[in-house]
């Protein structure tokens, strides 16, 4: 048993909650990775804790006031006060606290007064009716009478020497207008990290850095927390420097602090690395909720970010880099969010979206192209920069700056994947291996939109490495691009670097020596992995010892599969990682991280991951599957196949990975169909009503004690207890079975379910017999509806939360499958409507009605029992070397593209490759030669020397000479004349050769040599 597995096993068995286990795992990993750093960090933390209990009290030269807006933070106030009262800089002498209670309804006031009683001369309590944080801060500033004022949120706290570090900086440095502390993130597990988005401001040597306000650059400020400002400078512009009470909590800080800088532009800013401010990582402190309010897409932006640009222009006559960077910091966040999921702003009316776009257009008028390109904070991906330039500046990235990323590799077929971003769907691409153009094997162009504008295009290209190749170059739009491989950048990329990076040994393991690891979930089986394992075990040449099936030993399926002869591995046991590492292929119906990245992000190097799928993908799961690397992606319907592999989708996958085979479990589903009088009620789940994952190593979730208060629980509870449903079932003689989703089954005991309804779970029954025996199904959005459609059985969609669910609130958003247009039954929002539709089918003897029956029959291309066989053959093909040859048609398609882009040399190279193709027909030769002649005549009109050289290389010396004769002697270059001499001699035109040599000597005398004169003498004597 390896040490890593022992550690994992011990941590899992400890009697502590999942959060503390996560913290412990992180600390163990840090200890292994950097023992010295671990102990140094531990020493510093423990020393700090000791000193914080008995701090040395220092005196200083400056006095400070802390203004805090308080609203319902009773849980955190004691930590806040302790961190301030116990400062190493004398709290009694130097620190004043002004706490403005913004109408709290909890015990915040009592706690403040308790501390005020202990320190009456240092703590002031002010109460006001609720008006928001900005109004509370503005009121608090009226009571400040010290030289310096700062802001600390009452749910945050500071390090024991926080004020001492600030005092040292202020005492040492002169002309400081503003001092900035270092913000640490503090989580619910009492652990802090240096992971603030602006942390690189403190990436300097020493403890303090001072910058001139005019040279602030990218040292931007977005928060007033832990930021010290001079009260005198605040008073100097008292009418202008107030918190804007119309702004959201995030933007009010940004607007206030940057406005303060602009109004006091002469001076310096001090950054103090060792002044640690601990910021609690809570939802209220994140930026995401900000963009869930319509007003923030209008007045908030105009009164904060746009206002800062306009103030800058009015006061300074230009927009400082710091202000431009602040604007980009906020704007790129929401832009990237909308690009990733357009449903993020589904609550906005069209007029509000257009107003938002108009504001952004106005703001980007003030933002320079260089600022966008150099921006380096959150969401600063190269793709976002291309999009911002394209949408708001109307400019393309300079071709010389273009970059591409090699991020995946297939060892057996010697294929690598390149991704890059562009403002054009029609880029000209050329992969040059040792100078020779190679046509991509697979290519896909995704369009990413920002509202109603095209943001950027993403190119996904698979390229086969030719044998004995050494160097790769990529040209985009005739300019050489930078290739990224991991953290390294290349202009000329050695092929060996690719092999080394992806650990390609060049060896292919034969099938009889391979190990295949199957898994559905750690908690249960009964999905495609189980069914396909059974097929491989019983119907192929693979031995049982080559096949492993992963499952928790505590799972209800463990004993059943063991009795059947499955070679089981306890995925929570100490041998799981060893088994996964030793496997050549991982075959799973589940693409969760705990399976794909069982040993870190490089877990799948030298392995194939076969995604067997959990069901037909009918909604858009591209965001969830975005970063996954699959070698084989199973699909079951034509629409599903095209929605994933086609350009119109947002999926990364191409026709290289995506295969139309049908699902393994459908084989036995069809073979065992036995329809009885049974109604199956089988809804899916909602991510916001169940608990969080216990850890990243399991599908198990925490228990949500408020589950039964959700609309989901109440709606299904109501249906199950509906008297009419019971009456219909008795009248028509139907049994009712309720099967809750796997993520909901832990709440089954909370439901009040009547006796006439049978509750079935994964623990009590296999899922397939339910489909086989049921006459029809009631669901909401679940893909199991396709199981019923496969058997030509009616479905009813009870979608009481249709608008919310289809807005992307769950794990997916709508795609090609529109329930009301493509579903296998009626869609209803209310319980009564559902029962009315149900009664129609019961009256029809349980048979599906139109148009739903036709939809079912047209959905599946395969309705046989050969899905497992097709999947098996597709997996075997993964091991076969790629012997495919690019067709003449495909080469000429790329040649035509080069012609369209006036890339004549590349066009001729591709035409030449097509003409040399072993499978070319005479008809194709004739057509391609015509295209070639057109290229020669059209593309090289202004390049006679190049045209002449091309014709000469093709043994067309006479035509080559004719091309040069067309050029007037006065315009003839040295290169042209020398070539004309050679070609004239080859064509036995010695007079032209002599005259051209003479002209060369006359016009380019300084460049000519003795040999040139001697050669002319020889020509003259002929």
């Amino acid at each position: 048993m390896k040490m890593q597995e022992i550690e994992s096993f011990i941590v899992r068995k400890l009697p502590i909650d999942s959060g503390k286990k996560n913290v412990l795992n992180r600390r163990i990993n840090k200890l292994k990775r950097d023992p010295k750093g671990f102990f140094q960090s531990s020493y510093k933390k423990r020393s700090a804790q000791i000193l914080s209990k008995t701090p040395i009290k220092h005196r200083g030269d400056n006095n400070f006031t802390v203004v805090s807006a308080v609203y319902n933070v009773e849980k955190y106030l004691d930590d806040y006060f302790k961190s301030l009262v116990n400062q190493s800089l004398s709290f009694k002498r130097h620190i004043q606290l002004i706490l403005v209670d913004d109408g709290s309804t909890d015990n915040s006031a009592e706690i403040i007064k308790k501390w005020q009683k202990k320190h009456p001369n240092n703590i002031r309590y002010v109460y006001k009716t609720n008006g928001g944080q900005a109004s509370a801060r503005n009121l608090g500033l009226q009571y400040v009478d010290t030289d310096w004022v700062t802001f600390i949120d009452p749910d945050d706290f500071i390090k024991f020497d926080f004020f001492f570090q600030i005092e040292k900086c202020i005492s040492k440095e002169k002309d400081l207008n503003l001092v900035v502390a270092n913000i640490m993130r503090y989580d619910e597990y009492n652990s802090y990290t240096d992971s603030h988005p602006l942390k690189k401001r403190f990436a300097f040597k020493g403890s303090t850095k001072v910058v001139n306000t005019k040279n602030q650059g990218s040292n931007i400020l977005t928060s007033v927390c832990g930021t010290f400002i001079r009260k005198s400078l605040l008073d100097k512009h008292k009418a202008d420097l107030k918190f804007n009470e119309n702004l959201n909590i995030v933007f009010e800080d940004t607007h206030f602090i940057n406005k303060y800088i602009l109004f006091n532009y002469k001076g310096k800013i001090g950054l103090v690395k060792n002044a640690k401010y601990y910021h609690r990582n809570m939802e209220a402190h994140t930026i995401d909720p900000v963009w869930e309010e319509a007003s923030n897409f209008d007045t908030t932006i105009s009164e904060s970010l746009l206002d800062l640009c306009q103030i800058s222009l009015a006061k300074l006559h230009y927009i400082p880099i710091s202000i431009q960077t602040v604007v980009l910091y906020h704007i790129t966040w929401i832009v990237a969010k909308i690009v990733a999921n357009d449903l993020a702003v589904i609550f906005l009316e069209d007029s509000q979206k257009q107003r938002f776009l108009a504001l952004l257009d106005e703001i980007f008028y003030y933002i320079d192209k260089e600022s966008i390109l150099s921006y380096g904070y959150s969401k600063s991906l190269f793709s976002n920069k291309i999009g911002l330039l394209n949408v708001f500046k109307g400019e393309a990235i300079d071709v010389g700056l273009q970059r591409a990323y090699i991020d995946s590799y297939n060892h057996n077929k010697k294929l690598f994947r390149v991704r890059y971003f562009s403002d054009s769907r029609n880029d000209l691409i050329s992969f040059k291996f040792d100078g020779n153009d190679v046509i991509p094997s697979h290519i896909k162009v995704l369009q990413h939109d920002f509202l109603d504008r095209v943001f950027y295009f993403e190119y996904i290209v698979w390229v086969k490495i030719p044998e004995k190749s050494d160097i790769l170059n990529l040209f985009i739009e005739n300019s050489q691009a930078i290739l990224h491989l991991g953290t390294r950048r290349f202009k000329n990329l050695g092929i060996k670097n690719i092999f080394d990076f992806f650990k390609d040994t060049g060896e292919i393991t034969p099938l009889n020596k391979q190990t295949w690891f199957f898994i559905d979930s750690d908690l249960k089986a009964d999905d495609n992995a189980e069914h396909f394992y059974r097929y491989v075990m019983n119907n192929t040449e693979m031995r049982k010892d080559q096949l492993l099936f992963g499952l928790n030993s505590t799972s209800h399926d463990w004993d059943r599969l063991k009795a059947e002869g499955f070679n089981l591995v306890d995925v929570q046991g100490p041998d799981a990682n060893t088994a996964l590492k030793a496997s050549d292929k991982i075959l799973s119906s589940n693409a969760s991280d705990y399976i794909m990245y069982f040993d870190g992000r490089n877990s799948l190097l030298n392995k194939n991951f076969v995604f067997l799928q959990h069901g037909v993908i009918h909604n858009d799961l591209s965001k969830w599957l975005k970063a996954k690397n699959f070698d084989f992606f199973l699909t079951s319907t034509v629409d599903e196949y095209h929605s994933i592999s086609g350009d119109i989708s947002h999926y990364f996958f191409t026709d290289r990975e995506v295969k139309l085979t049908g699902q393994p479990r459908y084989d036995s589903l069809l073979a065992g169909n036995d329809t009885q009088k049974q109604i199956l009620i089988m809804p899916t789940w909602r991510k916001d009503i169940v608990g969080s994952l216990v850890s990243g190593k399991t599908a198990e979730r925490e228990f949500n004690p408020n589950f039964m208060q959700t609309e989901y629980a109440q709606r299904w509870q109501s249906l199950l207890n509906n008297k009419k449903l019971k009456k219909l079932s008795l009248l028509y003689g139907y049994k009712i079975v309720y099967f809750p989703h796997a993520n909901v089954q832990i709440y089954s005991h909370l439901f009040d379910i009547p006796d006439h309804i049978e509750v079935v779970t994964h623990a009590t029954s296999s899922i397939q017999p339910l489909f086989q025996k049921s006459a029809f199904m009631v669901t909401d959005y679940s893909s199991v509806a396709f199981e019923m459609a496969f058997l030509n059985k009616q479905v009813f969609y009870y979608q009481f939360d249709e608008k919310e669910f289809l807005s992307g609130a769950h794990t997916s958003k709508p795609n090609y499958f529109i329930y009301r247009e493509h579903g296998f039954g009626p869609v209803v929002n209310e319980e009564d409507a559902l029962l009315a539709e149900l009664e129609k089918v019961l009256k029809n003897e349980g048979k599906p009605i139109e148009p739903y029956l036709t939809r079912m029959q047209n959905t599946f291309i395969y309705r046989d029992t050969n899905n497992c066989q097709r999947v098996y053959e597709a997996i075997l093909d993964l091991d076969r070397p790629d012997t495919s040859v690019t067709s003449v048609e495909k080469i000429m398609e790329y040649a035509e593209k080069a012609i369209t882009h006036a890339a004549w040399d590349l066009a001729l190279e591709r035409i030449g490759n097509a003409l040399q193709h072993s499978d070319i027909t005479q008809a194709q030769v004739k057509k391609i030669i015509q295209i070639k002649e057109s290229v020669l005549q059209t593309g090289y009109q202004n390049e006679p020397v190049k045209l002449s050289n091309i014709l000469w290389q093709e043994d067309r010396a006479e035509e080559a000479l004719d091309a040069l004769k067309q050029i007037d002697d006065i315009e003839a270059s040295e290169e042209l004349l020398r070539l004309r001499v050679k070609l004239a001699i080859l064509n036995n035109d010695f007079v032209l050769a002599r005259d051209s040599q003479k002209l060369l000597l006359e016009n380019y005398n300084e460049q000519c040599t003795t040999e040139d004169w001697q050669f002319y003498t020889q020509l003259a004597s002929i």
Side-chain angles (χ1 to χ4, degrees):
M1 189 184 297
K2 293 187 177 180
M3 182 59 68
Q4 181 180 1
E5 294 158 0
I6 295 172
E7 292 165 359
S8 178
F9 181 76
I10 292 173
V11 171
R12 284 201 310 274
K13 297 299 182 182
L14 288 175
I16 56 177
D17 63 35
S18 60
K20 292 179 179 178
K21 287 180 182 178
N22 288 337
V23 174
L24 182 56
N25 277 321
R26 288 202 301 268
R27 290 174 178 169
I28 290 173
N29 290 334
K30 183 176 181 180
L31 173 60
K32 291 189 293 185
R33 185 176 64 251
D34 182 15
K36 183 178 179 181
F38 174 84
F39 287 112
Q40 286 179 337
S41 176
S42 295
Y43 173 77
K44 289 179 181 178
K45 288 180 182 178
R46 300 301 169 247
S47 297
Q49 289 175 352
I50 294 170
L51 288 171
S52 68
K53 304 300 181 183
T54 56
I56 301 170
K57 297 298 182 181
H58 296 280
R59 292 190 180 187
D61 299 321
N62 297 279
N63 294 325
F64 307 92
T65 297
V66 176
V67 173
S68 298
V70 177
Y71 183 75
N72 291 351
V73 287
E74 60 179 6
K75 182 179 177 181
Y76 308 106
L77 273 172
D78 282 330
D79 287 345
Y80 162 88
F81 279 115
K82 287 175 185 177
S83 73
L84 283 157
V85 170
N86 292 319
Q87 283 292 297
S88 58
L89 181 71
S90 175
F91 175 76
K92 183 177 180 179
R93 293 176 179 273
H94 298 290
I95 303 171
Q96 297 288 315
L97 307 183
I98 298 173
L99 291 100
V100 182
D101 185 350
D102 192 34
S104 295
T105 57
D106 65 356
N107 292 321
S108 294
E110 288 75 9
I111 296 171
I112 296 171
K113 291 174 182 176
K114 176 188 72 176
W115 284 93
Q116 184 183 34
K117 189 175 181 180
K118 295 178 182 178
H119 305 277
N121 298 324
N122 297 82
I123 299 175
R124 179 192 291 266
Y125 172 75
V126 181
Y127 179 83
K128 62 181 286 294
T129 56
N130 184 260
Q133 179 175 260
S135 63
R137 284 172 169 174
N138 285 333
L139 178 58
L141 286 173
Q142 296 177 21
Y143 295 92
V144 175
D145 59 5
T146 57
D147 295 336
W148 291 90
V149 58
T150 189
F151 303 86
I152 297 177
D153 285 344
D155 47 3
D156 295 337
F157 60 98
I158 56 178
K159 192 178 177 183
F160 74 95
D161 62 346
F162 178 85
F163 277 92
F164 178 66
Q165 297 294 339
I166 297 294
E167 163 68 22
K168 282 200 304 181
C169 176
I170 293 174
S171 298
K172 179 181 178 182
E173 302 291 341
K174 305 302 179 185
D175 302 323
L176 288 175
N177 288 352
L178 188 143
V179 183
V180 184
N182 194 359
I183 297 180
M184 303 284 111
R185 282 184 163 175
Y186 191 85
D187 63 28
E188 58 186 307
Y189 305 119
N190 298 325
S191 175
Y192 68 85
T193 57
D194 186 10
S195 58
H196 191 275
L198 300 178
K199 70 174 185 177
K200 73 176 187 178
R201 296 176 302 177
F202 295 91
F204 52 79
K205 293 181 179 180
S207 60
T208 303
K209 176 182 177 181
V210 176
V211 296
N212 194 297
T213 308
K214 295 181 179 180
N215 300 319
Q216 185 183 349
S218 61
N219 295 297
I220 62 171
L221 299 175
T222 60
S223 173
V224 297
C225 292
T227 300
F228 291 74
I229 58 179
R230 284 190 182 274
K231 183 61 164 54
S232 59
L233 296 179
L234 201 60
D235 291 340
K236 184 179 178 182
H237 306 284
K238 195 170 186 177
D240 296 297
L241 293 182
K242 293 180 180 179
F243 286 94
N244 186 332
E245 297 179 16
N246 294 326
L247 297 180
N248 180 281
I249 190 170
V250 173
F251 289 96
E252 72 178 50
D253 278 34
T254 296
H255 184 250
F256 176 85
I257 198 63
N258 285 284
K259 197 173 177 182
Y260 170 85
I261 293 172
L262 291 172
F263 273 81
N264 299 285
Y265 208 59
K266 293 181 180 179
K268 297 176 182 178
I269 299 173
L271 293 98
V272 186
K273 185 190 298 185
N274 294 331
K276 303 290 180 67
Y277 180 110
Y278 296 103
H279 175 72
R280 289 190 193 271
N281 229 8
M282 300 186 299
E283 185 178 1
H285 284 162
T286 64
I287 198 169
D288 279 337
V290 172
W291 297 109
E292 294 173 1
E293 298 177 24
S295 63
N296 291 324
F297 293 83
D298 189 345
T299 53
T300 296
I301 291 178
S302 62
E303 293 187 22
S304 60
L305 304 182
L306 180 58
D307 188 53
L308 287 175
C309 293
Q310 293 170 337
I311 291 173
S312 298
L313 198 62
K315 285 194 161 291
L316 308 176
H317 307 296
Y318 70 97
I319 317 298
I321 296 297
S322 58
I323 298 298
Q324 294 187 49
T325 306
V326 163
V327 170
L328 288 170
Y329 179 82
H330 286 293
I331 293 300
T332 52
W333 193 283
I334 183 56
V335 168
K337 183 176 181 179
I338 295 172
V339 171
N341 180 15
D342 58 337
L343 297 178
V345 288
I346 194 171
F347 57 88
L348 292 181
E349 302 290 340
D350 287 342
S351 59
Q352 292 173 316
K353 292 178 182 177
Q354 292 306 312
R355 169 61 178 160
F356 179 45
L357 281 170
L359 278 172
L360 292 181
D361 286 335
E362 189 173 357
I363 286 172
F364 273 92
Y365 170 80
Y366 299 103
I367 308 299
D368 301 328
K369 178 179 180 179
E370 292 72 22
S371 295
I372 295 174
L373 290 174
S374 62
Y375 175 70
Y377 288 116
S378 296
K379 308 299 179 184
S380 61
L381 297 176
F382 191 66
S383 56
N384 287 335
K385 295 179 180 182
I386 288 177
L388 292 175
L389 287 174
N390 177 45
V391 170
F392 299 115
K393 303 299 288 184
E395 297 185 46
I397 192 77
D398 297 336
V399 288
L401 298 177
Q402 187 57 276
R403 59 187 68 176
Y405 306 85
I406 298 177
D407 64 354
S408 188
Y409 178 69
N410 183 282
H411 296 70
N412 294 343
K413 300 190 182 297
K414 297 295 183 282
L415 287 165
F416 64 88
R417 183 174 69 186
V418 173
R419 293 172 49 232
Y420 82 92
F421 308 92
S422 172
D423 64 334
S424 169
R425 181 185 281 278
N426 194 37
D427 279 355
L428 178 66
I429 314 168
S430 176
F431 289 89
K432 296 275 189 178
F433 290 87
D434 299 332
N436 300 310
D437 180 66
V438 171
I439 304 298
S441 301
H442 310 270
I443 187 167
K444 179 173 183 174
V445 184
L446 303 182
Q447 177 176 314
H448 296 271
D449 295 330
F450 176 67
L451 298 178
D452 60 358
R453 302 181 186 181
V454 176
F455 197 59
Y456 61 76
F457 295 98
E458 180 176 7
Y459 284 72
I460 301 168
V461 190
W462 284 94
V463 186
K464 180 183 176 183
I465 300 174
E467 292 185 11
K468 299 180 181 179
S469 298
D470 291 325
I471 300 296
L472 166 65
N473 305 110
L474 171 59
F475 292 86
I476 301 173
E477 293 296 304
N478 293 317
S479 270
Q480 190 169 354
I482 300 168
L483 285 163
H484 287 243
L485 184 62
T487 58
R488 301 178 66 188
R489 302 179 182 184
F490 301 86
K491 278 277 190 178
N492 305 301
L493 175 58
I495 301 304
K496 188 177 183 300
N497 290 109
I498 299 177
F499 293 157
D500 291 345
F501 183 80
F502 291 104
K503 294 180 170 56
D504 185 357
T505 62
E507 298 178 0
I508 298 177
T509 306
L511 183 63
N512 63 355
K513 293 186 178 180
Q514 290 187 20
T515 300
W516 292 12
F517 192 105
F518 298 73
I519 183 171
D520 282 318
S521 163
D522 63 320
L523 302 179
K524 62 183 179 63
D526 201 24
D527 208 330
N528 281 318
E530 176 190 325
H531 287 268
F532 188 54
Y533 181 103
R534 185 176 293 111
Y535 171 84
V536 176
M537 178 174 65
N538 296 328
N539 298 279
T540 74
E541 60 192 273
M542 295 192 73
R543 304 181 311 276
K544 182 178 177 180
D545 63 291
Q546 293 180 262
L547 309 176
L548 305 175
F549 194 92
L551 187 67
N552 280 4
S553 58
T554 57
S555 170
H556 52 265
D557 289 318
W558 181 273
D559 291 337
R560 174 177 64 84
L561 296 181
K562 186 176 182 180
E564 191 178 340
F566 276 49
N567 193 5
L568 298 176
V569 176
D570 183 359
V571 294
Q572 294 295 341
D575 298 328
N577 261 30
T578 301
L580 283 162
K581 287 179 183 179
S583 298
D584 299 276
K585 291 176 173 58
I586 298 175
L587 305 92
S588 177
S589 61
N590 189 336
S592 295
D593 286 356
Y594 76 90
I595 296 174
M596 296 199 67
Y597 308 122
F598 59 89
D599 194 39
R601 286 288 156 180
N602 293 322
S603 298
L604 299 180
L605 283 177
N606 288 312
K607 298 183 190 304
N608 295 130
F609 190 91
V610 176
F611 185 36
L612 296 173
Q613 278 225 60
H614 173 59
V616 176
I617 294 179
H618 57 302
N619 290 325
D620 187 351
L621 296 177
S622 59
K623 185 177 180 181
W624 177 56
L625 296 174
K626 182 175 182 179
K628 314 289 185 181
N629 277 324
F630 301 150
D631 293 284
F632 173 36
F633 191 140
L634 176 155
T635 59
S636 304
T637 75
V638 174
D639 288 341
E640 180 192 22
Y641 172 82
H642 287 301
S643 77
I644 295 169
S645 65
D647 279 6
I648 60 170
S649 74
H650 286 138
Y651 291 92
F652 279 15
F653 308 102
T654 68
D655 55 0
R656 184 196 81 84
E657 306 98 319
V658 185
K659 305 298 177 186
L660 181 53
T661 60
Q663 296 189 52
R665 68 174 187 246
Y666 282 6
D667 288 353
S668 58
L669 179 69
L670 187 63
N673 189 32
D674 178 26
T675 306
Q676 300 175 12
K677 282 194 168 185
Q678 179 170 292
I679 301 172
L680 176 61
I681 300 177
M682 196 172 183
T684 189
W685 63 300
R686 309 289 189 276
K687 72 174 184 179
D688 58 343
I689 65 172
V690 298
S692 302
L693 287 170
V694 170
S695 75
K697 292 291 186 180
T698 177
E700 184 180 355
R701 291 180 175 273
E702 295 175 349
F703 188 84
N704 175 16
N706 299 315
F707 174 82
M708 291 306 294
Q709 280 70 57
T710 65
E711 181 186 18
Y712 175 95
Q714 292 174 8
R715 288 277 197 159
W716 289 108
Q717 168 101 331
S718 174
L719 176 63
L720 295 171
N721 285 276
N722 188 286
K723 293 180 179 179
K724 185 176 181 180
L725 176 63
K726 179 180 179 180
K727 181 179 178 181
L728 288 173
S729 70
L730 294 173
L731 178 64
Y732 291 96
Y734 275 77
K735 174 184 177 182
I736 301 176
V737 174
Y738 170 56
F739 190 95
H741 188 274
N743 290 334
V744 177
Q745 288 181 11
I746 59 172
Y747 305 100
S748 296
H749 66 286
L750 300 177
F751 280 81
D752 180 17
I753 299 176
D755 294 338
H756 66 277
I757 294 180
E758 180 184 357
V759 179
V760 178
T761 67
H762 288 289
T764 59
S765 172
S766 176
I767 195 172
Q768 289 236 330
L770 297 176
F771 305 132
Q772 294 165 333
K773 292 181 180 180
S774 298
F776 37 84
M777 170 192 286
V778 176
T779 186
D780 42 13
Y781 311 94
S782 177
S783 65
V784 294
F786 283 85
E787 244 86 356
M788 299 297 280
F790 185 74
L791 298 174
N792 289 322
K793 298 181 179 182
Q794 179 89 40
V795 177
F796 301 89
Y797 298 97
Y798 179 32
Q799 299 180 350
F800 50 82
D801 55 351
E802 180 180 17
K803 184 176 180 180
E804 179 185 5
F805 188 95
L806 298 181
S807 71
H810 190 47
T811 58
S812 62
K813 61 180 182 178
N815 195 7
Y816 68 92
F817 188 89
I818 308 301
Y819 291 93
R820 294 183 182 274
E821 296 178 18
H822 307 112
F824 311 120
V827 177
V828 298
N829 303 121
E830 298 299 333
E831 197 171 299
D832 290 343
L834 170 64
L835 295 172
E837 294 291 344
L838 185 62
E839 188 170 9
K840 291 179 186 177
V841 176
L842 288 170
K843 288 179 179 180
N844 194 41
E845 299 180 348
K847 297 176 182 178
I849 58 179
E850 292 294 352
Y852 311 118
L853 179 59
T854 300
R855 291 180 188 175
M856 297 176 201
Q857 293 170 340
N858 293 339
T859 295
F860 297 94
I861 191 172
Y862 298 121
R863 242 191 191 95
D864 54 25
T865 55
N866 298 321
N867 291 345
C868 285
Q869 181 183 339
R870 281 186 286 270
V871 172
Y872 184 68
E873 287 299 322
I875 293 173
L876 292 184
D877 187 61
L878 295 176
D879 294 337
R880 298 178 183 126
D882 185 359
T883 58
S884 62
V885 177
T886 307
S887 67
V888 174
E889 292 80 6
K890 190 170 185 179
I891 295 173
M892 285 309 299
E893 176 188 335
Y894 277 77
E896 292 285 0
K897 194 161 193 175
I899 293 170
T900 303
H901 285 75
W904 309 113
D905 292 347
L906 181 59
L908 283 182
E909 181 182 1
R910 289 173 174 173
I911 288 171
N913 291 339
L915 290 171
Q916 294 172 17
H917 202 287
S918 58
D919 295 331
I920 195 168
T921 65
Q922 286 302 312
Q924 288 175 322
V925 169
K926 183 177 179 180
K927 182 178 180 181
I928 293 171
I929 286 177
Q930 291 176 345
I931 295 172
K932 178 180 178 181
E933 291 306 311
S934 175
V935 169
L936 290 173
Q937 296 303 318
T938 305
Y940 296 94
Q941 287 182 335
N942 299 321
E943 297 183 90
V945 174
K946 181 176 281 190
L947 174 60
S948 184
N949 272 312
I950 292 170
L951 294 170
W952 184 15
Q953 290 171 9
E954 296 184 355
D955 295 327
R956 297 163 66 179
E958 185 175 351
E959 294 175 66
L961 181 59
D962 288 341
L964 297 182
K965 286 180 180 179
Q966 308 304 317
I967 307 304
D968 193 287
D969 287 349
I970 298 174
E971 299 175 358
S973 65
E974 178 188 0
E975 182 183 14
L976 184 148
L977 290 171
R978 290 186 184 279
L979 182 58
R980 195 160 74 184
V981 170
K982 292 177 184 178
L983 290 171
I985 294 172
L986 286 173
N987 285 279
N988 295 318
D989 190 343
F990 295 103
V991 174
L992 179 60
R994 180 199 64 200
D995 292 345
S996 297
Q997 186 71 7
K998 180 181 179 183
L999 192 60
L1000 173 70
L1001 294 170
E1002 291 174 350
N1003 292 352
Y1004 301 98
N1005 182 50
E1006 292 184 4
Q1007 288 84 12
C1008 292
T1009 64
T1010 302
E1011 287 76 10
D1012 290 323
W1013 285 96
Q1014 291 173 348
F1015 187 50
Y1016 171 69
T1017 303
Q1018 292 173 2
L1019 288 172
S1021 65
I1022 296 176

